[in-house]
Amino acid sequence: FDKISKYNASQFTEYTLPYKVGIGVSVTAGFASFPLCFYSPVVHWFNKGYVTTDVPEPQDLETMLEVGSWAWNWMEPPLGQISFFLLCLQFARSQIQNLGIKPYTAKILELRAQKLVKMFPKYNAEIVSDYSKVQSLSKNFF
């Protein structure tokens, strides 16, 4: 059974790349949003390089919240648009699932299960297939 488990774990590791990239990008963007909104030196740098809006008077940028209020003028539109886009994608995915169409992960798991059944034909195909489908796509996080 160790051979089946090792073979199953080794299959389709390259297909986990979109998930890993998505995790990396979302975590990085999430952490970057704090200094981009509230940390005065970063907000000034971003404004100078990308936004070029008028800088408020120094007395209006004394606290992190005041800096955040200024930065939010240009942060709100892209963050709002990204949020709406993600909401639309979530809705589309749920409708795809309602129609019985398998999303990416289900298709990859099915493909991996079929390969495992072909690799070990002397075992019960249904059991081997079910085993493959319940195993994680990635043994290690990264």
Side-chain angles (χ1 to χ4, degrees), residues 89-124:
L89 290 178
Q90 288 175 331
F91 179 74
R93 185 176 194 272
S94 105
Q95 298 313 308
I96 287 169
Q97 288 176 320
N98 287 342
L99 291 173
I101 300 170
K102 294 181 180 178
Y104 178 77
T105 304
K107 287 183 181 184
I108 296 306
L109 290 173
E110 181 64 35
L111 242 122
R112 185 177 70 170
Q114 290 171 1
K115 277 189 86 172
L116 193 66
V117 167
K118 285 180 186 174
M119 187 69 182
F120 298 96
K122 68 180 180 177
Y123 297 103
N124 182 295

Side-chain angles (χ1 to χ4, degrees), residues 72-88:
W72 194 247
N73 288 323
W74 68 76
M75 293 295 283
E76 185 178 18
L79 291 177
Q81 179 57 40
I82 290 167
S83 297
F84 181 72
F85 179 69
L86 290 173
L87 179 68
C88 290

Side-chain angles (χ1 to χ4, degrees), residues 3 5 7 10-11 13 24 33 41 44 57 63-65 77-78 87 90-93 97 99 102 109 117-118 134 142:
K3 282 174 80 176
S5 181
Y7 183 81
S10 71
Q11 296 300 301
T13 53
S33 70
H44 277 86
E57 297 295 323
T63 68
M64 286 177 38
L65 294 177
L87 179 68
Q90 288 175 331
F91 179 74
R93 185 176 194 272
Q97 288 176 320
L99 291 173
K102 294 181 180 178
L109 290 173
V117 167
K118 285 180 186 174
V134 298
F142 278 97

